[in-house]
Amino acid sequence: MPVYRPLSSLAPVVPQAPLEDVSARIRAQGARATPARIAVLRMLQTASRALSHADVEHALADSGFDRVTLYRVLDWLVEAGLAHRVADSDRVFRFSLAASRSPEHARHAHFRCDDCGRVFCLEDVRVSTPVLPAGFTSKEVQVSVSGACAECNARPS
Amino acid sequence: MPVYRPLSSLAPVVPQAPLEDVSARIRAQGARATPARIAVLRMLQTASRALSHADVEHALADSGFDRVTLYRVLDWLVEAGLAHRVADSDRVFRFSLAASRSPEHARHAHFRCDDCGRVFCLEDVRVSTPVLPAGFTSKEVQVSVSGACAECNARPS
DNA sequence: TTGCATCTGCAACTGGATTGCGGGTAACGG
DNA sequence: CCGTTACCCGCAATCCAGTTGCAGATGCAA
């Protein structure tokens, strides 16, 4: 079981979707546009990689949201279909924004760096559903690639 | 977060590889052929699906192996290249026998039933490595399909 | 048979995630 | 603009798969 280097801090979130749009999107799900939901959703929108609860908690530490609140917001996002959740190989859930209009059968691909532990979303990946045994029906196909990211490959160590 | 029906008990393990073969395979890795390793390896050899630690613990309850011993045996199997470990979407590790002579880049596919929570190994799946960003290198590609298994599709409920 | 490196059992611990509940607040109707 | 209320949040306790430290047992090679 490898021990990962600490995650590099997230880049400061500079350009964000207008607050009204985010709030409206939340209300469109029949839910309240609370500060926690708005903050987490905006963060996911600008993230270039799948974020763990710890990532979110750390990045929003100044906002004073409770740990549990963030768990619930992330759960809600998944339930509302706004985000995907994948259990990473380190037994940690990671969250990434769902495609705005995802097809019925969601396809998703992630890359995990064995060295730094970061998880990147792979866009543009065509995944074909494998042939299943008789009677089996598929709902979702997830592809996860592990290896070394560019940054870690470049690092001398 | 779905709640899964209890796992149906594993079918009684009837036909097994000869004990000598299993022991020899363990010693071939430069390790001791202990009762726990033999029992777990035989169990994986006859399993038609990926097993969790709980599955193994339950099935071998009569043998009196310690919980921790089973964890360590499973870890050792993975380290020795005799088994694969995947973190399931319920944050539980599942183990399946590795192909006898796996290529350098291991490819593996699993099917997870959203209803009963069981995980099946999909053989005969050709997985192509997705195109990665510049500088990224891949080591392993995992494909996991979720949906409903034949048994749960057949069940009226 | 013996030496000893390796393996096991026990108990305590870790950390991500979940739950229960009392108090707070967003959003609707007026 | 204000009251009502269903939904949401903070807090603290809890859960549970997995891990660690250590003393004692054991496979196995000499």
Side-chain angles (χ1 to χ4, degrees):
Chain A
M1 203 69 59
V3 175
Y4 301 105
R5 303 158 189 266
L7 284 181
S8 66
S9 62
L10 289 170
V13 180
V14 184
Q16 288 193 326
L19 188 134
E20 298 76 34
D21 292 8
V22 177
S23 303
R25 194 162 179 201
I26 294 172
R27 284 198 213 90
Q29 301 293 328
R32 289 194 202 160
T34 63
R37 284 177 180 165
I38 293 169
V40 173
L41 186 49
R42 291 180 106 180
M43 191 176 165
L44 278 183
Q45 281 181 336
T46 55
S48 63
R49 28 173 272 245
L51 302 179
S52 66
H53 170 271
D55 291 335
V56 175
E57 185 181 8
H58 183 257
L60 299 181
D62 294 343
S63 310
F65 296 123
D66 190 79
R67 244 165 45 78
V68 178
T69 297
L70 296 179
Y71 274 117
R72 289 198 267 233
V73 167
L74 290 168
D75 285 350
W76 174 82
L77 283 168
V78 172
E79 206 151 317
L82 298 176
H84 288 302
R85 163 169 48 208
V86 292
D88 202 358
S89 55
D90 57 1
R91 267 174 36 94
V92 169
F93 286 137
R94 300 199 172 251
F95 301 84
S96 59
L97 209 63
S100 41
R101 294 288 160 207
S102 64
E104 191 180 336
H105 294 253
R107 276 97 200 280
H108 218 75
H110 289 107
F111 178 93
R112 175 200 177 73
C113 178
D114 290 328
D115 194 13
C116 66
R118 286 185 296 182
V119 174
F120 302 84
C121 293
L122 299 178
E123 317 292 345
D124 326 319
V125 174
R126 260 326 123 98
V127 183
S128 57
T129 304
V131 179
L132 301 177
F136 283 55
T137 51
S138 75
K139 201 186 72 185
E140 189 176 349
V141 180
Q142 286 187 1
V143 176
S144 59
V145 185
S146 66
C149 71
E151 202 175 310
C152 289
N153 272 330
R155 189 171 20 226
S157 155
Chain B
M1 199 72 55
V3 175
Y4 301 103
R5 302 159 188 266
L7 285 179
S8 66
S9 62
L10 290 169
V13 181
V14 184
Q16 289 192 323
L19 189 132
E20 298 76 34
D21 292 6
V22 177
S23 302
R25 194 161 179 203
I26 293 171
R27 284 196 214 90
Q29 301 293 328
R32 289 193 199 160
T34 63
R37 283 178 180 164
I38 294 168
V40 173
L41 186 49
R42 291 181 106 179
M43 192 178 166
L44 279 183
Q45 281 180 337
T46 55
S48 63
R49 31 173 269 246
L51 302 178
S52 67
H53 170 271
D55 291 335
V56 175
E57 185 180 8
H58 184 257
L60 300 180
D62 294 343
S63 311
F65 297 123
D66 188 79
R67 236 166 47 81
V68 178
T69 298
L70 297 179
Y71 274 118
R72 289 197 267 234
V73 167
L74 290 168
D75 286 349
W76 175 82
L77 284 168
V78 172
E79 207 151 319
L82 297 176
H84 288 302
R85 164 170 47 207
V86 291
D88 202 358
S89 56
D90 57 1
R91 265 173 36 96
V92 169
F93 286 136
R94 300 199 172 253
F95 301 83
S96 59
L97 210 64
S100 41
R101 294 287 161 208
S102 65
E104 189 179 336
H105 294 252
R107 277 99 201 279
H108 217 73
H110 289 106
F111 179 93
R112 175 200 178 72
C113 178
D114 290 328
D115 194 12
C116 66
R118 286 185 295 182
V119 174
F120 303 84
C121 293
L122 298 179
E123 318 291 346
D124 326 320
V125 175
R126 260 325 124 98
V127 182
S128 56
T129 304
V131 180
L132 302 175
F136 283 55
T137 51
S138 75
K139 200 187 73 187
E140 190 175 349
V141 180
Q142 288 188 359
V143 176
S144 59
V145 184
S146 66
C149 71
E151 201 175 309
C152 289
N153 271 330
R155 185 167 27 221
S157 157

